[in-house]
């Protein structure tokens, strides 16, 4: 199975994003804005990578010439 179509990889990334969001919340409540911002950016990266996983259809419709 291709890593791009592995649903478990997508789930792992989403789980990691959720954990990072909790870390960001905890850091913000402690006043660590830099740590919170870093965790938020890492979580957003995980979500972006998870969105790119899975089957993708490119150029399905051929343009008329």
């Amino acid at each position: 199975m291709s890593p791009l179509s592995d649903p478990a990889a997508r789930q792992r990334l989403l789980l990691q994003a959720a954990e990072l969001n909790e870390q960001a919340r905890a850091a913000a409540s402690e006043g660590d804005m830099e740590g919170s911002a870093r965790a938020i950016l890492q979580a957003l990266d995980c979500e972006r990578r998870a969105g790119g996983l899975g089957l993708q259809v490119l150029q399905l419709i051929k343009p008329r010439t």
Side-chain angles (χ1 to χ4, degrees):
M1 179 180 291
S2 167
L4 294 178
S5 63
D6 183 10
R10 184 174 190 274
Q11 287 292 39
R12 280 192 302 272
L13 284 169
L14 292 175
L15 181 61
Q16 184 178 4
E19 290 172 0
L20 286 164
N21 281 328
E22 285 304 313
Q23 288 177 14
R25 184 181 318 276
S29 69
E30 294 173 2
D32 182 10
M33 293 301 130
E34 185 178 323
S36 178
R38 189 177 312 112
I40 290 170
L41 290 175
Q42 289 174 335
L44 289 172
D45 183 54
C46 288
E47 290 174 358
R48 179 190 58 80
R49 289 188 293 149
L53 293 178
L55 299 177
Q56 299 191 12
V57 179
L58 301 176
Q59 297 180 349
L60 180 62
I61 301 173
K62 189 173 183 179
R64 293 184 187 193
T65 57

